[in-house]
Amino acid sequence: MKKYAELAIIVPCFNEEEVLASSIKTLNKIYDDLIKEELISPASKIVFVNDGSKDKTWHIIENAHKKQPHIKGICLSRNFGHQEALLAGLYNTDADIYITIDADLQDDPAVIKNMVKEYYKGNEVVYGVRNKRDTDSFFKRNTALWFYKIMKILGVELVSNHADFRLLSRRAVNAMGEFKEKNLFLRAIVPLIGFQSANVYYDRKKREAGTTKYPLKKMVLFALKGISSFSAVPLHFITLSGILISILSFFLMFWTIFAYFNNSTIVGWASLMSVITFFSGITILFMGIIGEYIASIFIEVKNRPTYIIDKKLD
């Protein structure tokens, strides 16, 4: 008898009571279809990770588990963050393959079947990639495109238009566990694993209810975390800029001395203030970049736990 892979669908949740019931229904249908088509083992499961929600999210997960035992739950002791919740689900669930997807199901769960098929072709990592970004606002669409371009320039390997909707084999999850950093940016960690991978493409839906868990502030902090965790290019840029500015200042000094002895100096408040503000701005910018790296080091050296589990529904 052929052995089918045991699948665990990992769903991080933070204040998702408005969409969770609908999401459970949708994922259950996909789960049943995959078993009927003999693509996954009947021992497969759907694992909801409650990331310190303040609403009825955990209550909904508990009720769903009572009615359908294949629905599991992990409740974190507080809100640790989206990436941390994903890891809690991955590292505390036993399965052959794992698929991570957000609770709002804006990432089309219908392509989960294609992901599983790609796994059977030998791919241990399968990325869910958006065909287009029509559902995003003009601002979000363009900032996302620039983010991918900047990360590429900085030497960070990312899959464009891919978030955290992906399939990982058990071997890939074990390999990911070898990365010990606390500044988590899974979109860059997963490509570093290097196992055979494939992409599946889909159209992202609009959020049906609730609010986005990635407002502008979180998006900016997430981007900064990605840059400071995976690229030293900004630090190299500061060094090169310092050298260039020093050379420029050296020539400017000689020009000033030459102008002074030739009685051609012009005393002007505007020019003086322009130079002061320019170099002050550069200094503050560079201090901020260095501060981001120091903050990353500060978090790493404390070696605090990535997450703490309060309850589990097995």
Side-chain angles (χ1 to χ4, degrees):
M1 183 178 177
K2 185 177 179 180
K3 182 180 181 297
Y4 302 104
E6 183 178 333
L7 168 67
I9 301 175
I10 309 298
V11 189
C13 307
F14 177 62
N15 295 337
E16 298 288 1
E17 67 174 348
E18 295 181 61
V19 299
L20 199 52
S22 174
S23 298
I24 291 172
K25 183 178 179 181
T26 300
L27 290 174
N28 269 335
K29 184 179 185 309
I30 291 169
Y31 168 88
D32 291 336
D33 289 344
L34 290 171
I35 292 176
K36 288 177 183 177
E37 294 181 35
E38 297 187 330
L39 288 172
I40 62 172
S41 164
S44 298
K45 63 209 74 164
I46 305 172
V47 183
F48 293 91
V49 183
N50 178 38
D51 186 25
S53 299
K54 301 299 183 183
D55 59 7
K56 296 180 181 179
T57 294
W58 181 245
H59 178 69
I60 295 170
I61 295 170
E62 286 182 314
N63 287 340
H65 171 70
K66 291 174 183 177
K67 297 174 183 176
Q68 298 159 307
H70 68 271
I71 293 178
K72 312 297 182 181
I74 296 174
C75 184
L76 303 185
S77 61
R78 62 172 177 83
N79 177 239
F80 284 88
H82 181 266
Q83 305 286 280
E84 289 79 1
L86 285 176
L87 287 188
L90 291 170
Y91 293 161
N92 292 278
T93 304
D94 187 31
D96 298 315
I97 50 177
Y98 303 80
I99 289 178
T100 57
I101 186 170
D102 289 346
D104 56 23
L105 299 189
Q106 285 185 268
D107 298 312
D108 189 1
V111 301
I112 287 177
K113 184 188 297 185
N114 296 335
M115 288 181 163
V116 175
K117 289 180 178 179
E118 288 294 337
Y119 166 75
Y120 286 124
K121 292 178 183 178
N123 295 294
E124 299 202 55
V125 179
V126 183
Y127 300 101
V129 180
R130 298 171 61 173
N131 281 317
K132 48 187 181 295
R133 306 187 71 98
D134 291 353
T135 56
D136 289 347
S137 65
F138 175 83
F139 176 79
K140 187 172 183 179
R141 180 166 59 250
N142 284 277
T143 50
L145 292 174
W146 274 107
F147 170 71
Y148 287 114
K149 289 179 181 178
I150 291 171
M151 293 298 276
K152 186 175 182 180
I153 292 171
L154 296 178
V156 183
E157 184 180 354
L158 292 178
V159 178
S160 294
N161 291 323
H162 162 72
D164 289 297
F165 181 31
R166 66 177 73 90
L167 176 146
L168 296 166
S169 69
R170 186 202 299 265
R171 196 163 77 104
V173 170
N174 290 340
M176 197 166 67
E178 297 297 317
F179 293 81
K180 304 300 183 182
E181 57 255 53
K182 303 299 180 182
N183 283 289
L184 295 170
F185 189 62
L186 298 182
R187 299 180 197 184
I189 289 177
V190 174
L192 290 177
I193 294 172
F195 294 159
Q196 182 174 323
S197 64
N199 296 345
V200 297
Y201 296 89
Y202 65 95
D203 292 326
R204 188 173 170 86
K205 306 171 185 176
K206 289 185 177 181
R207 189 178 179 95
E208 294 182 1
T211 57
T212 177
K213 302 305 180 292
Y214 270 98
L216 179 60
K217 180 182 176 181
K218 278 194 174 182
M219 286 172 58
V220 172
L221 292 175
F222 190 64
L224 290 174
K225 179 187 287 188
I227 293 170
S228 62
S229 299
F230 281 88
S231 177
V233 171
L235 293 177
H236 300 322
F237 173 75
I238 289 175
T239 302
L240 292 173
S241 298
I243 293 171
L244 291 175
I245 292 173
S246 296
I247 293 172
L248 178 63
S249 301
F250 183 76
F251 282 109
L252 184 62
M253 180 184 68
F254 273 96
W255 177 82
T256 303
I257 295 171
F258 176 80
Y260 175 79
F261 283 107
N262 283 277
N263 298 317
S264 58
T265 54
I266 300 174
V267 179
W269 178 85
S271 58
L272 179 63
M273 290 304 297
S274 297
V275 172
I276 291 175
T277 53
F278 173 74
F279 285 104
S280 297
I282 290 292
T283 302
I284 293 171
L285 173 63
F286 287 175
M287 287 179 64
I289 294 174
I290 294 171
E292 288 295 325
Y293 283 90
I294 293 174
S296 296
I297 296 170
F298 175 69
I299 292 171
E300 293 292 336
V301 297
K302 286 189 293 186
N303 198 31
R304 290 178 176 173
T306 304
Y307 55 82
I308 296 173
I309 294 176
D310 183 23
K311 305 171 187 174
K312 281 187 73 174
L313 302 173
D314 294 318

